[in-house]
Amino acid sequence: MQDVTSAATRAGSERAPVAPPVDLLRRLRARGAGDPVTHVERVPARPGVPVPWPDWTPEELRAAFAGRGVVEPWRHQTEAAELAYGGRHVVVATGTASGKSLAYLLPALATLLTDPRATVLYLAPTKALAADQLRAVAALDLPGVRPACYDGDTPRAEREWIRRHSRFVLTNPDMLHHGILPGHAQWSGFLRRLTYVIVDECHTYRGVFGSHVAHVLRRLRRRCAAPPRSAPRIPLQSGGGLTGGGGPAGGAGAVGGPVFVLASATSGDPATTAGRLTGLPVTAVTEDASPRGGVTFALWEPPLLPPDAAVEPAGADLTQVRRSALRETADLLADTVAEGVRTLAFVRSRRGAEVVAANARRALDEAVPGLGGRVAAYRAGYLREERRELERALLDGELLGLASTNALELGVDLVGLDAVLICGWPGTRASLWQQAGRAGRSGGEALAVLVARDDPLDTYLVHHPEALFGRPVEATVLDPANPYVLGPQLACAAAEAPLTPADLELFGTGAKEAVDALVGTGALRARPTGWYWRHRERPEVDLRGAGGAPVCVVEAATGRLLGTVDGGSSHFLLHPGAVYLHQGVSYVVDELDLADGCALVHPEEPDWSTHARDVTSLSVVSVRSYVDAGPVGLFLGEVDVTSQVVSYQRRRIASGEVIDTRPLDLPTRELRTVAVWFTVSPQALAAAGVEPPDVPGALHAAEHAAIGLLPLMATCDRWDIGGLSTAVHADTEAPTVFVYDGHPGGAGFAERAYATAEDWLRATRDAIAECGCESGCPSCVQSPKCGNGNNLLGKAEAVRVLDVVLAHLGAAAPAGD
Ligand SMILES: [Zn+2]
Ligand SMILES: [Zn+2]
């Protein structure tokens, strides 16, 4: 995405031929006793589909792209560009390195060249990405565009020049929220002439953060008057590969305001997500027409340990029954390196990456002394130059193996490797392909291996390749109607300019109620001309939080502020004794001062991680929607959750072994949020063979696995959501499993779970049923987050509960609510 040279093929460097991936894989899987490979998918090489430049492309732009090696665009780039140039809001959701940047640069730059008044605003989730993109645009050297980054690092002296003269401003949502919109008077010239808003990597705007960004974009739209368009517009062309959206042409161009062009990783339903993010009808372009090399993709499930070898440390409540994914990945890395295969291993944590590299080095040195020196770990703490040096060494073959934490930290040139090992599901398909996309030299074949961790979702995925290689189902979710987001954002909007009734429509569902609430608290004053912000100071709103002031993380010895943690997560992440990771550096919390809202930490890198535990109770406030399926009920609604973090567990990073559980003394907290829940009548449970004494364990096991599988449907991780199960709940008067958003007001996860309940619960059922363990393990029904020490879990009974639920939900279709 960073590079515009999408259609240019990278010159393959001269390297010795390596074994074809199929042979390599055969040798790797023949090592142990059983076969750990659950599936092999051959992802064929795909030729690109180049198309001519749109005829509105200015000659100098064509020449500039040609100068950067782009001779012709790929079809999806032109499709998206044509839609945007025709005034339609568009999201291009295609794979890694498919050249999404050209899709938005083409219409934006063409307009800047032909309309000397037009301006463009580009938003990236990180400063680094904006800086990369600035380099790419500046390298095109187009007259009169004057691209510039405007963020917290921009020197004061340059800011005024940028506001007055730049026509292509690159920034991030935080700067838009804290800087540009509050100072909109100084930006009025730029905003009035704003023709395109580019939202890059828009799948990163999810959950509470995404909901805030959605309103920041609405505030932006409010400040933009319709710019006169002098650029020639051509009639819309229809093309293949369009899905979703489908509003009438000229939505934006016709009613004024900038055209939004969004770039997303591949995901489920990108048009709907982009529509929620912008509040506008958005058309999706999803058919990737860029070329790619062939990859043999293996799904790998570490073998079960022999029963007598199962690690069951004292005081533990998680039983390790499989070989750890880290050990398995280290062995694979050693084996591929021993074969002279240049391999990149992705591991989720920095410590994990180091463990993998160290174990691989040791194994190699035992085989051939000195060979271990050709494996390294890639640390986020390294300087940019040091990292580029490691990448160069790997590309040259000087290094053969590298263990790294995150694909996004790597340079864009680090592609064309012979093998990529992915230790644990990286959380989203977008990340998976971002990582696997590093494999595949031009014209050659590469190997990618996903090694499953002890986790229900990993287990499910290695047994359900269609979820990985078929159509994406996970959607990026956000909930702009969350009152805890909407209220503060309306306060910001009112501080920028009084709110009018027309604005309420712009901010959508719940806006009127939120404004009334702000009037009630005295923050806004209602006047005949609108609602006015009453204070001198602007509202302080954190885009990453909802409710509760953020907690500052301070290094005790130096007083240095390392960062902030959302108030809601602070008890979990910053309790005394917690290991806190900041940009890959490890700290341990000495003290959490809740009154001052700060945590004091010191740098330390212990070989354990910490996992907080809480006790929770829940009451139903209201039901928003439900499905009546006879003995089974499915509900979506508001709930109050009362919870207290009571202890934490220390677990060895390398083995996952539990060291101990330590008590904590923290106050209880209240959370009003959105939950999805299902009930099953005791009679239906008994008929399915789940007797009353087994009901609590059955529901508890189903709850854990359901939470573990929700990230399959919505881009969240299990730490964004919570759950509660009970054999009888005071509000439902039935056996019930609740799954709720862990953020005040909800962030869209429970809503997505409700909307996809059948698929979600079927996947949950299959993950449990297909796990080869005897009576429950971390790969199926045990949870690292359990407030209950994973006591009372019924694996077989959970499958029966879910079978009952699915049978009745299926019969109740179509769901009435
Ligand atoms: Zn299991
Ligand atoms: Zn539990």
Side-chain angles (χ1 to χ4, degrees), residues 771 773 776-777 779-780 795:
C771 185
C773 72
C777 72
S779 299
C780 55
K795 180 186 173 185

Side-chain angles (χ1 to χ4, degrees), residues 605-679:
E605 198 163 33
D607 71 343
W608 62 79
S609 54
T610 52
H611 305 270
R613 301 259 208 82
D614 64 347
V615 292
T616 302
S617 64
L618 180 152
S619 64
V620 175
V621 179
S622 65
V623 172
R624 227 188 249 180
S625 183
Y626 68 96
V627 179
D628 180 354
V632 169
L634 177 73
F635 302 83
L636 179 73
E638 276 79 42
V639 296
D640 277 336
V641 179
T642 306
S643 67
Q644 183 178 22
V645 173
V646 291
S647 64
Y648 70 102
Q649 223 180 38
R650 300 190 304 156
R651 293 177 70 186
R652 285 245 187 261
I653 289 168
S655 63
E657 171 203 346
V658 176
I659 303 167
D660 57 10
T661 301
R662 302 181 162 199
L664 287 169
D665 182 23
L666 289 166
T668 59
R669 292 183 305 165
E670 307 281 338
L671 171 73
R672 172 154 304 180
T673 186
V674 179
V676 58
W677 64 96
F678 65 80
T679 58

Side-chain angles (χ1 to χ4, degrees), residues 54-56 82 85-86 232-237:
D55 49 18
W56 43 262
E82 293 275 16
Y85 200 74
R233 299 278 156 173
I234 55 143
L236 199 69
Q237 293 176 354

Side-chain angles (χ1 to χ4, degrees), residues 116-143:
R117 289 179 46 80
T119 60
V120 170
L121 185 67
Y122 167 93
L123 295 171
T126 64
K127 284 186 217 166
L129 179 56
D132 275 350
Q133 195 57 245
L134 173 65
R135 272 191 290 276
V137 175
L140 294 171
D141 195 21
L142 296 166

Side-chain angles (χ1 to χ4, degrees), residues 279-345:
L280 294 162
V282 179
T283 303
V285 173
T286 56
E287 205 171 285
D288 195 335
S290 66
R292 70 171 174 218
V295 176
T296 296
F297 209 130
L299 306 183
W300 189 286
E301 186 175 46
L304 292 165
L305 295 168
D308 51 342
V311 185
E312 217 165 336
D317 44 30
L318 288 176
T319 316
Q320 194 194 346
V321 297
R322 287 186 190 281
R323 259 190 117 227
S324 91
L326 286 176
R327 270 171 205 276
E328 203 76 351
T329 304
D331 284 357
L332 287 169
L333 182 59
D335 289 349
T336 53
V337 165
E339 294 225 11
V341 172
R342 292 168 326 131
T343 308
L344 184 55

Side-chain angles (χ1 to χ4, degrees), residues 524-733:
L524 296 186
R525 173 177 291 145
R527 292 214 179 119
T529 49
W531 291 273
Y532 287 72
W533 178 244
R534 294 184 59 170
H535 304 287
R536 185 184 289 275
E537 313 78 43
R538 296 182 186 286
E540 284 223 0
V541 175
D542 173 12
L543 293 188
R544 283 161 187 80
V551 173
C552 298
V553 185
V554 176
E555 193 177 36
T558 61
R560 190 163 67 101
L561 176 69
L562 297 175
T564 59
V565 166
D566 158 45
S569 316
S570 59
H571 291 206
F572 272 102
L573 299 177
L574 295 175
H575 60 77
V579 176
Y580 172 77
L581 290 176
H582 174 69
Q583 291 186 350
V585 183
S586 171
Y587 296 86
V588 171
V589 177
D590 300 313
E591 187 188 340
L592 173 60
D593 185 336
L594 291 168
D596 277 358
C598 89
L600 297 176
V601 304
H602 68 271
E604 185 187 336
E605 198 163 33
D607 71 343
W608 62 79
S609 54
T610 52
H611 305 270
R613 301 259 208 82
D614 64 347
V615 292
T616 302
S617 64
L618 180 152
S619 64
V620 175
V621 179
S622 65
V623 172
R624 227 188 249 180
S625 183
Y626 68 96
V627 179
D628 180 354
V632 169
L634 177 73
F635 302 83
L636 179 73
E638 276 79 42
V639 296
D640 277 336
V641 179
T642 306
S643 67
Q644 183 178 22
V645 173
V646 291
S647 64
Y648 70 102
Q649 223 180 38
R650 300 190 304 156
R651 293 177 70 186
R652 285 245 187 261
I653 289 168
S655 63
E657 171 203 346
V658 176
I659 303 167
D660 57 10
T661 301
R662 302 181 162 199
L664 287 169
D665 182 23
L666 289 166
T668 59
R669 292 183 305 165
E670 307 281 338
L671 171 73
R672 172 154 304 180
T673 186
V674 179
V676 58
W677 64 96
F678 65 80
T679 58
V680 195
S681 78
Q683 295 77 9
L685 288 178
V690 185
E691 297 302 329
D694 296 331
V695 170
L699 297 175
H700 189 195
E703 172 217 322
H704 281 184
I707 291 173
L709 266 294
L710 186 50
L712 186 65
M713 302 296 154
T715 46
C716 56
D717 64 43
R718 66 193 300 161
W719 306 96
D720 283 326
I721 39 193
L724 183 102
S725 57
T726 169
V728 57
H729 189 272
D731 296 324
T732 65
E733 299 176 343

